[in-house]
């Protein structure tokens, strides 16, 4: 799995709004949800999930009070308009596992997500499984790697009707995991991200 690195960001204007920093975003990135930039999106959890900002990411902490189907949403005060048709855009973000209460890094969390604007979801099914869009097919157990998630909005059956986004939901599937996940560098872009380099295993290595 490709280890991605991120620039640091700092907290500003409330619990989950961020101040600008050099993040290495592509020049055509638009509607940046967060990456060291004060974007106007605010995070709130439900069912025992507590979103906590740290130096470079947003942690979806699963507390002792977590219930099945718990999660978090990021919501803007008003819809953030796209500069291009939604079907030409890609949502890109990075995820990592997190530590449990004993300090053990946990992966393989089952997660689903949804995008909406003015309470209309981009997909008729509402939530989409993270496993369909994450490199490697699942959150791995390596704390040193950040896995990229690429969502072509053209694959979402209501995307053609959308001109903006105001809410993103992240929900753990069924039972709450022993540890949550971390999310970093989330934005929309019109440039299709390059596919990851293939993993080639050598016998006897």
């Amino acid at each position: 799995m490709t280890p991605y690195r991120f620039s640091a960001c700092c907290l500003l204007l409330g619990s989950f709004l961020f101040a600008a920093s050099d993040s290495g975003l592509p020049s055509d990135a638009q509607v940046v949800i967060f990456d060291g930039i004060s974007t106007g999106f605010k995070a709130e959890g439900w069912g025992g999930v507590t979103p906590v900002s740290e130096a470079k990411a947003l942690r979806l902490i699963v507390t002792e009070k977590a219930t099945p189907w718990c999660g978090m949403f990021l919501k803007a005060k008003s819809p953030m308009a796209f500069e291009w048709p939604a079907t030409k855009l890609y949502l890109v973000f990075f995820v990592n596992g997190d530590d449990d209460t004993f300090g053990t890094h946990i992966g393989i969390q089952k997660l689903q997500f949804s995008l909406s604007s003015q309470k209309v979801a981009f997909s008729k099914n509402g939530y989409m499984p993270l496993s369909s869009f994450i490199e490697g097919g699942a959150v791995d157990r390596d704390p040193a790697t950040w896995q990229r998630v690429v969502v072509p909005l053209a694959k979402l059956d209501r995307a053609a009707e959308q001109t903006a986004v105001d809410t993103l939901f992240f929900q753990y599937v069924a039972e709450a995991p022993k540890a949550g996940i971390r999310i970093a560098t989330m934005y929309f872009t019109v440039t299709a991200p390059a596919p990851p380099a293939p993993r080639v295993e050598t016998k006897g290595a």
Side-chain angles (χ1 to χ4, degrees):
M1 192 61 58
T2 305
Y4 296 95
R5 299 182 182 276
F6 301 94
S7 301
C9 60
C10 59
L11 191 66
L12 179 70
L13 300 177
S15 298
F16 303 106
L17 304 183
F18 299 84
S21 71
D22 178 14
S23 60
L25 286 168
S27 60
D28 61 0
Q30 55 177 292
V31 188
V32 177
I33 309 304
F34 65 83
D35 183 58
I37 297 175
S38 180
T39 64
F41 281 83
K42 184 178 180 180
E44 294 186 22
W46 76 82
V49 168
T50 301
V52 175
S53 61
E54 58 181 25
K56 60 184 178 181
L58 186 64
R59 298 178 64 194
L60 279 62
I61 296 176
V62 177
T63 69
E64 295 180 353
K65 298 180 179 179
T67 60
W69 304 101
C70 53
M72 176 215 55
F73 63 87
L74 288 155
K75 185 171 181 60
K77 291 183 178 179
S78 59
M80 307 289 279
F82 298 132
E83 297 178 8
W84 292 73
T87 53
K88 294 184 179 296
L89 296 177
Y90 299 82
L91 171 64
V92 180
F93 58 97
F94 295 80
V95 299
N96 202 334
D98 207 349
D99 296 343
D100 63 14
T101 55
F102 300 101
T104 301
H105 190 84
I106 302 294
I108 319 299
Q109 293 87 340
K110 294 182 179 180
L111 197 76
Q112 58 186 11
F113 66 98
S114 177
L115 293 75
S116 67
S117 179
Q118 297 181 315
K119 299 183 179 181
V120 177
F122 280 48
S123 171
K124 292 179 181 178
N125 294 328
Y127 283 95
M128 298 161 286
L130 185 73
S131 59
S132 296
F133 303 97
I134 185 174
E135 294 176 353
V139 180
D140 68 27
R141 295 186 173 92
D142 186 352
T145 61
W146 288 82
Q147 293 163 265
R148 185 173 55 181
V149 180
V150 179
V151 183
L153 299 195
K155 290 189 175 182
L156 310 185
D157 48 25
R158 287 181 175 169
E161 307 166 14
Q162 304 289 2
T163 59
V165 63
D166 59 22
T167 312
L168 295 91
F169 297 90
F170 293 87
Q171 183 180 49
Y172 294 111
V173 176
E175 295 297 321
K178 294 181 180 179
I181 66 166
R182 290 176 287 162
I183 302 176
T185 315
M186 181 181 297
Y187 60 93
F188 291 89
T189 178
V190 296
T191 302
R199 299 182 66 183
V200 179
E201 297 183 3
T202 303
K203 292 184 179 180

